[in-house]
Amino acid sequence: MEKIGGDLNQMQRTPLASAHVEALRKAGAVARYPAGTLLTRPGQPVDRFVYVEEGEVEVVNPFTNERHLPSTMGPTQFLGEISLLNGGNWSMAMRAVRDTQVIEVPREAVLTLMSQIPEMSDIIITVFSARRRRQLEERISSLRLIGEDDDRNVRRIAEFASRNHIPYISLPLGNPEAEALARRCSIAPGVPGVIFGRDVVVSEPTPDKIARLLGLNLDFGDDEVFDVLIVGGGPAGVAAGVYAGAEGLRALVVEDVAIGGQAGTSSRVENYMGFPTGISGSDLVWRGEVQAMKFGTRFAMPRRVAALERLEDVSFCATFDNGQRVRARALVVATGVQYRRLPIPRLPEFEGAGIYYAATEMEARYSKGADAVIIGGGNSAGQAAMFLSRSARCVRVLVRGASLAASMSRYLSSRLEADPGITIEYGAEVSALHGAEHLEAVSIRDVKTGATRVVEARALFVMVGAAPNSEWLSGLVKLDDKGFVITGFGEGLATSPFATSQPGIFAVGDVRSGSVKRVASAVGEGSVVIAKVWEFVNRKS
């Protein structure tokens, strides 16, 4: 994973200037903790910023109650995590090694200081980001998964955590550490499970429950009204969140799976300006998420908008899939597209057990040393093939058409053709799936002759057909015959190419009819649309 720049340990020791410390002192209060006192616990709200003046603080392994890292934090350093920006929860426990004196500043107060003092903000965010990256790279976490390879529910948690940059530790069934942890938490031997903190066993684990433990699935009051609700956390939605926050709009971004959207499943984006060696789609959008939170934009997930209605005061009310409602003066639709479910027998049966719609490091594990098949001829399929070829024994790309010229960038198709570990089959499709508990093989049919053959495949990646996520709009805006949102003629806003037929609703990114399906264009649209959103909101008020 690409670092933000500079040595990780050095970044975590970047001191705040004396003027910054004085500002913290005025906004906060001095607190003293005797040796052995826990300053933070996993699952508690990150409600304060903690600057160490005297003493020493260590990160604690919640399962063993021992020091988790060889290094500790002392004077001039500060406690905190990236979740401070969004009002999330602590992910790790921290304890005073000896008598310790700190300055504690309430979360809202330190966010105000960060907005007023850019230099302070830069240092804090750089350190927080570095800490999260270290947690991810070194698997430092209070979230433990047992039996990820054996249980679909546990795999769903792993996918949710991985795609949202949430650190976790995965232990296979039968592993001595897994067995000891299971005994400590009263989990039957050989049974998969999800554990958070010291002894919180998550029954019937879902991404929603994990999000709540981490403070990511926010609840909102009935009287809470946002200037703009941004539905979708892909490149377009996150870019809109960055610019909305920067313009002083009270913004909320909601996403039903993972921040990053479909772009977040791309293992490597090479044609995005400013990253000559490429960057993963997930990492690119995560940087944008942190940037948006810096400006005050809030994020909530996993949240899916089930219905939308216009109220008498001309504001909008969105109802989430959990029944909660939130109001907003304007709406940005950035829900993008999703790969279509192909009409292949037994497809739902193998989803998550050999059938995947993303090719990240997590999915690559399941094809390591085995054969993988990719259905699709677009850039996402090409990037997946290049990524999987590093670990799979063989990667087979199936394309219904006669060439890749019209659907894939030339630089990418050239690489696929030159890679000895990748085979491209034109005029081919998958007609059947084979296996018991997990996918073991697929039948490939020649589109012209109808001839079929069975090939071994432990993983099948479906990356074909873009279906817009627009059904939740409840008929409020006009759609084209394929379900994409038509833009460019909103009443009174004809100058905006992103205005829909409903005043106050804008659409950006892949969900918009006629959009260019590229990350860069999605980011551009999300950035530009906020000017008209600001104009609409302020015209109403």
Side-chain angles (χ1 to χ4, degrees):
M1 186 176 295
E2 186 175 343
K3 292 182 174 62
I4 289 180
D7 178 74
L8 182 61
N9 291 327
Q10 182 61 38
M11 283 191 295
Q12 295 203 68
R13 286 169 170 76
T14 303
L16 292 169
S18 57
H20 302 159
V21 177
E22 188 58 33
L24 292 172
R25 194 184 308 278
K26 291 179 179 178
V30 172
R32 295 175 178 84
Y33 293 96
T37 304
L38 282 174
L39 279 70
T40 70
R41 288 181 173 85
Q44 287 185 333
V46 184
D47 57 358
R48 68 199 190 283
F49 178 86
V50 182
Y51 179 85
V52 181
E53 286 195 299
E54 299 174 9
E56 185 179 8
V57 179
E58 63 185 348
V59 177
V60 180
N61 184 325
F63 303 99
T64 64
N65 210 35
E66 298 174 351
R67 180 177 294 183
H68 205 40
L69 300 173
S71 59
T72 59
M73 286 171 282
T76 75
Q77 293 183 284
F78 50 86
L79 282 60
E81 302 184 21
I82 205 73
S83 51
L84 172 87
L85 302 179
N86 197 42
N89 296 341
W90 293 99
S91 67
M92 296 298 298
M94 281 174 266
R95 178 173 60 199
V97 179
R98 48 196 173 92
D99 291 355
T100 297
Q101 177 174 304
V102 301
I103 301 173
E104 295 188 336
V105 185
R107 174 178 171 270
E108 292 299 332
V110 80
L111 292 179
T112 299
L113 286 179
M114 289 171 65
S115 68
Q116 296 170 346
I117 311 173
E119 296 82 4
M120 175 194 286
S121 176
D122 291 345
I123 293 171
I124 292 174
I125 289 176
T126 299
V127 171
F128 283 179
S129 298
R131 286 176 179 166
R132 174 56 59 88
R133 289 176 184 280
R134 182 177 183 181
Q135 283 186 279
L136 291 166
E137 292 168 358
E138 300 183 15
R139 299 295 183 183
I140 303 168
S141 177
S142 296
L143 179 63
R144 299 286 202 275
L145 311 184
I146 300 177
E148 175 188 343
D149 293 340
D150 302 276
D151 186 89
R152 292 191 187 189
N153 288 334
V154 179
R155 274 201 299 274
R156 285 182 65 205
I157 303 305
E159 179 185 7
F160 174 77
S162 177
R163 290 188 59 188
N164 284 291
H165 282 71
I166 298 168
Y168 69 95
I169 295 173
S170 183
L171 302 171
L173 288 175
N175 174 281
E177 184 180 349
E179 292 181 348
L181 183 61
R183 284 195 299 271
R184 188 181 303 123
C185 297
S186 301
I187 298 176
V191 176
V194 176
I195 303 166
F196 181 73
R198 183 169 178 80
D199 54 9
V200 177
V201 179
V202 184
S203 60
E204 300 181 0
T206 64
D208 180 78
K209 290 182 179 180
I210 300 304
R212 288 195 172 277
L213 285 172
L214 294 167
L216 301 175
N217 200 339
L218 306 176
D219 291 323
F220 308 99
D222 294 337
D223 58 345
E224 197 163 9
V225 181
F226 290 90
D227 290 323
V228 57
L229 173 64
I230 302 167
V231 186
V238 171
V242 170
Y243 278 79
E247 292 299 325
L249 294 176
R250 195 158 184 271
L252 172 66
V253 179
V254 296
E255 167 60 43
D256 69 342
V257 178
I259 300 300
Q262 195 178 85
T265 67
S266 177
S267 57
R268 193 178 185 190
V269 179
E270 286 193 81
N271 56 358
Y272 192 84
M273 189 184 73
F275 294 92
T277 59
I279 184 172
S280 74
S282 174
D283 206 29
L284 177 66
V285 181
W286 184 72
R287 292 172 181 230
E289 179 187 0
V290 173
Q291 192 174 9
M293 289 192 293
K294 165 188 170 180
F295 289 124
T297 294
R298 300 173 72 183
F299 287 77
M301 58 184 170
R303 286 285 176 85
R304 182 176 61 83
V305 177
L308 180 69
E309 59 183 311
R310 184 145 203 168
L311 305 178
E312 292 183 2
D313 64 357
V314 202
S315 65
F316 299 95
C317 180
T319 302
F320 298 129
D321 49 358
N322 64 356
Q324 190 179 11
R325 294 153 67 92
V326 67
R327 290 175 55 203
R329 296 185 176 89
L331 206 81
V332 172
V333 180
T335 43
V337 298
Q338 59 185 346
Y339 294 123
R340 296 183 188 276
R341 269 187 169 182
L342 297 177
I344 304 173
R346 300 184 69 191
L347 183 76
E349 180 182 337
F350 288 114
E351 287 181 330
I355 302 294
Y356 307 106
Y357 297 90
T360 65
E361 290 184 8
M362 196 190 79
E363 289 83 13
R365 291 174 44 207
Y366 304 123
S367 60
K368 186 175 182 179
D371 290 5
V373 176
I374 299 174
I375 302 176
N379 278 0
S380 294
Q383 290 159 353
M386 293 299 302
F387 178 66
L388 294 170
S389 67
R390 304 175 194 170
S391 56
R393 181 173 60 191
C394 171
V395 178
R396 203 181 302 266
V397 181
L398 306 184
V399 184
R400 280 186 60 88
S403 77
L404 293 171
S407 58
M408 187 180 295
S409 296
R410 181 56 188 164
Y411 83 90
L412 197 51
S413 61
S414 298
R415 290 185 183 178
L416 263 62
E417 293 164 356
D419 194 319
I422 299 174
T423 301
I424 306 175
E425 298 187 22
Y426 298 102
E429 63 182 8
V430 172
S431 58
L433 308 173
H434 310 281
E437 296 296 319
H438 195 285
L439 182 69
E440 298 173 5
V442 300
S443 292
I444 299 178
R445 178 168 56 204
D446 185 294
V447 174
K448 289 185 178 180
T449 67
T452 63
R453 70 188 193 283
V454 177
V455 300
E456 179 183 340
R458 182 167 174 79
L460 173 65
F461 297 85
V462 181
M463 296 181 167
V464 62
N469 296 309
S470 59
E471 68 284 348
W472 57 277
L473 287 167
S474 311
L476 280 178
V477 303
K478 291 184 179 179
L479 310 176
D480 66 15
D481 57 354
K482 295 181 179 179
F484 291 91
V485 181
I486 298 173
T487 60
F489 56 85
E491 181 181 339
L493 292 171
T495 57
S496 171
F498 311 115
T500 69
S501 56
Q502 180 70 244
I505 300 181
F506 303 81
V508 293
D510 290 1
V511 74
R512 188 175 68 83
S513 180
S515 66
V516 178
K517 307 299 187 282
R518 289 290 185 271
V519 172
S521 62
V523 170
E525 291 186 10
S527 306
V528 172
V529 72
I530 293 302
K532 288 299 180 182
V533 172
W534 188 93
E535 177 184 311
F536 180 84
V537 169
N538 284 278
R539 185 181 64 178
K540 284 181 60 181
S541 58

